[in-house]
Amino acid sequence: MKAVFGEIFGNDYAKAIGLLKKNRLEEARRILLKILSEKPEFPDVYIELAKINFKTGETPSTKYYLKKYIQLDGTDEACLLYTSLSPRDRT
């Protein structure tokens, strides 16, 4: 799926990941949201948005993106991030 996704969106996803590595969260978020609006079934965008929201303390959005990611392609990464939320915030 990632190869097909890359062919459709070119370097946008790679650019967003590069921005995340540089801690340029808002710029990465804008790119990821644009990708998401055009390709909502791509799970990796959801996990990256969850990470951004977790770092910025946006718990409701973190939960939303984690749940969407798990619905599409849940992995240990999502579970680990989810357990990092306080028990009160997990519901």
Side-chain angles (χ1 to χ4, degrees):
M1 181 171 192
K2 287 183 184 181
V4 172
F5 182 81
E7 292 169 14
I8 295 170
F9 288 98
N11 294 322
D12 286 347
Y13 184 74
K15 182 178 180 180
I17 298 303
L19 290 167
L20 286 173
K21 290 179 181 178
K22 295 176 183 176
N23 209 34
R24 293 167 59 183
L25 304 180
E26 290 308 315
E27 292 172 83
R29 183 193 321 252
R30 280 194 297 277
I31 293 169
L32 292 168
L33 288 171
K34 178 181 176 275
I35 293 169
L36 191 61
S37 72
E38 298 172 20
K39 188 81 170 169
E41 68 276 5
F42 185 61
D44 291 6
V45 173
Y46 289 100
I47 194 67
E48 297 306 331
L49 286 166
K51 290 177 190 176
I52 291 170
N53 285 287
F54 182 75
K55 288 179 181 180
T56 58
E58 299 171 59
T59 302
S61 295
T62 301
K63 291 189 313 186
Y64 169 78
Y65 289 121
L66 282 174
K67 287 178 181 179
K68 292 296 287 184
Y69 178 77
I70 291 167
Q71 287 173 354
L72 294 171
D73 186 22
T75 65
D76 292 340
E77 184 177 16
C79 294
L80 288 172
L81 186 55
Y82 186 75
T83 57
S84 297
L85 296 172
S86 71
R88 182 189 79 237
D89 291 329
R90 291 183 201 161
T91 58

